[in-house]
Amino acid sequence: MKTVAQLLRIKDEKNQQVHTISPDDMVLQALMRMAEKNVGALLVVKNDEVLGIISERDYARKMVLHGRSSVGTKVSDIMVSPVITIDPHQTVETCLSIMTDKHLRHLPVVEDGKLVGLLSIGDLVKEAIAEQADLIRQLEQYIRGE
C-alpha cells in the first residue's frame, strides 16, 4: 500500500493545492472561495496551523437551518474543531479506516505541526481500487504462468 506522502506527490504533479481560509473570515467569504475553487470544504488555518475545517454541510446545518447570516458570522463560529489529522507516513489503508470510523470526507496531512496536504475520500478510494486492480493483474499473470 502506498503512503500518504506518495499520494501527495501524485496530487502535486496535478497541481492540486489545498484551499484554506482564516478563522476570522466571514462565512460568506468561505462560501465564495468554495464556489470559486469548486470544492466542498476549506481548511481553517492560522500561521500554518490547522484549526478546523468548514464544509458546505456545516453551512447548511449551522447557518441555514438556524437562520444565521453568512455576512456577520465568522468561520470560527461554525467550523469543525479539532480536526483529525494524519502524518505523511500513514498508509492508504489506515486513512480509509480512520475516515470510515469517524465518518470523515477529508483528512488534512500535517508534518511537524505544519499543513502539507489534504486527502479526500475520493483520493483514497481511487488509490485502493488501483492497487486492487494491480493485484488482480499480478494474480492472473501468476495463474497463467507468465
Side-chain angles (χ1 to χ4, degrees):
M1 274 252 158
K2 283 188 178 151
T3 65
V4 167
Q6 291 169 315
L7 281 183
L8 288 178
R9 276 194 291 279
I10 293 167
K11 283 185 78 165
D12 284 345
E13 291 171 6
K14 297 176 184 175
N15 291 324
Q16 292 190 10
Q17 63 188 105
V18 179
H19 302 291
T20 64
I21 194 149
S22 165
D24 297 322
D25 286 337
M26 294 299 135
V27 171
L28 181 61
Q29 291 170 284
L31 293 171
M32 290 169 50
R33 184 161 304 150
M34 282 187 251
E36 173 191 339
K37 303 298 183 183
N38 195 30
V39 295
L42 299 171
L43 289 177
V44 183
V45 175
K46 189 170 191 173
N47 300 326
D48 289 330
E49 182 184 353
V50 178
L51 301 178
I53 189 167
I54 182 172
S55 69
E56 293 167 335
R57 179 180 287 176
D58 297 318
Y59 174 72
R61 292 181 178 178
K62 297 173 185 174
M63 297 291 296
V64 174
L65 290 178
H66 296 279
R68 296 171 77 181
S69 169
S70 308
V71 177
T73 304
K74 288 185 179 183
V75 167
S76 60
D77 292 340
I78 70 163
M79 70 183 185
V80 173
S81 182
V83 178
I84 295 171
T85 62
I86 53 169
D87 67 64
H89 308 292
Q90 299 292 330
T91 64
V92 168
E93 184 177 34
T94 300
C95 294
L96 283 170
S97 177
I98 291 168
M99 292 178 100
T100 301
D101 291 345
K102 303 292 183 184
H103 304 285
L104 305 174
R105 297 175 66 195
H106 301 90
L107 272 178
V109 183
V110 175
E111 186 171 36
D112 298 325
K114 302 255 186 201
L115 177 65
V116 296
L118 179 69
L119 292 178
S120 70
I121 189 71
D123 297 329
L124 296 167
V125 168
K126 186 189 307 182
E127 181 56 34
I129 290 170
E131 287 182 11
Q132 288 177 353
D134 189 47
L135 178 60
I136 290 168
R137 192 170 34 263
Q138 289 175 19
L139 289 171
E140 287 172 340
Q141 289 173 342
Y142 175 77
I143 291 169
R144 288 192 300 262
E146 296 176 6

